[in-house]
Amino acid sequence: MEPIEYTISVLTENKPGLLNKLTIILSRRKININSLNVSTTEVEGVSRYTIAATASKSDLEKVIKQIRKLVDVLGAFLYDEDQIYYQEIALYKLSLEVFQRNGLLEKLIRQYGAKIIAIEENQIVIEKTGTKQETHELYEILKPYDILEFARSGRVAISKSKRRTEAFIQELETSQSNTLSIKEF
């Protein structure tokens, strides 16, 4: 069975040095990180690490167990693609001259649900939000028009679970054993 891409979501206290610890756990198991995003959550002082990685589910389940042992980690979860809502953002910089010479480009941008976010003296910047496949598809369409620069963010994801982050943390704080039923998060 070929490895597929999974999403790891880690809730942590907002402390320095945790990113290094997380990447060490993944690199020891020779798991490459496809994308990484760190953001604040709706709970003050709590951060969410969203890591997209391609590996076997059993290898990633072992990684999750190791991550949960880290002191500053409040919870770590492994998700299949159908268990989350996720998006990425991509930016494409093109020559303004190329854009102006080709009337088809504006139509393509609209057709792919992208938008122009900046028009400067020599260049134009286009933004596309979507899945990795959608942003890559637009990249392939724009490639013949001499992309000057391209950047794609890491995956931003939230679970489809109805459980709230705040409720999870409150449950964790009142738990005697410091372990929770995390299947519903």
Side-chain angles (χ1 to χ4, degrees):
M1 188 164 121
E2 190 173 315
I4 60 172
E5 188 170 58
Y6 290 93
T7 300
I8 298 169
S9 181
V10 183
L11 293 172
T12 70
E13 293 180 30
N14 194 4
K15 304 275 174 128
L18 193 58
L19 177 59
N20 186 44
K21 293 175 185 175
L22 292 173
T23 57
I24 286 171
I25 289 172
L26 288 156
S27 64
R28 280 188 185 149
R29 292 198 174 269
K30 299 189 181 348
I31 296 173
N32 188 43
I33 295 172
N34 299 340
S35 76
L36 172 76
N37 180 284
V38 184
S39 66
T40 58
T41 67
E42 68 281 12
V43 179
E44 191 174 329
V46 176
S47 295
R48 180 185 319 275
Y49 288 73
T50 304
I51 304 166
T54 304
S56 72
K57 189 168 188 170
S58 64
D59 283 347
L60 290 173
E61 286 170 342
K62 291 173 188 172
V63 164
I64 293 295
K65 286 179 183 176
Q66 285 185 286
I67 291 172
R68 287 180 183 150
K69 292 177 185 176
L70 296 174
V71 172
D72 297 325
V73 169
L74 303 170
F77 313 93
L78 180 62
Y79 296 110
D80 296 329
E81 211 168 270
D82 64 343
Q83 295 175 304
I84 57 172
Y85 301 106
Y86 68 96
Q87 294 285 281
E88 296 183 5
I89 185 171
L91 299 176
Y92 315 78
K93 187 189 326 176
L94 301 172
S95 158
L96 184 59
E97 181 185 337
V98 169
F99 181 80
Q100 289 174 330
R101 274 188 290 146
N102 193 320
L104 178 64
L105 276 173
E106 189 171 353
K107 184 179 177 184
L108 282 171
I109 291 166
R110 286 190 183 140
Q111 180 183 339
Y112 282 88
K115 63 183 180 180
I116 297 169
I117 62 168
I119 299 175
E120 302 292 334
E121 188 176 318
N122 304 346
Q123 61 204 19
I124 184 165
V125 180
I126 300 160
E127 172 192 307
K128 166 74 178 145
T129 302
T131 65
K132 185 177 184 178
Q133 294 79 12
E134 291 168 342
T135 58
H136 184 72
E137 187 177 334
L138 183 57
Y139 173 83
E140 290 297 327
I141 296 294
L142 295 175
K143 202 155 96 172
Y145 300 101
D146 192 28
I147 296 172
L148 302 174
E149 228 176 305
F150 171 74
R152 181 173 36 232
S153 71
R155 178 177 285 190
V156 177
I158 54 175
S159 77
K160 291 183 178 179
S161 163
K162 297 198 183 341
R163 187 180 205 175
R164 295 171 54 112
T165 304
E166 188 174 28
F168 172 79
I169 292 169
Q170 286 174 349
E171 187 180 337
L172 184 64
E173 288 173 349
T174 59
S175 170
Q176 297 296 324
S177 65
N178 209 22
T179 59
L180 296 175
S181 167
I182 57 170
K183 293 178 183 175
E184 294 300 315
F185 194 77

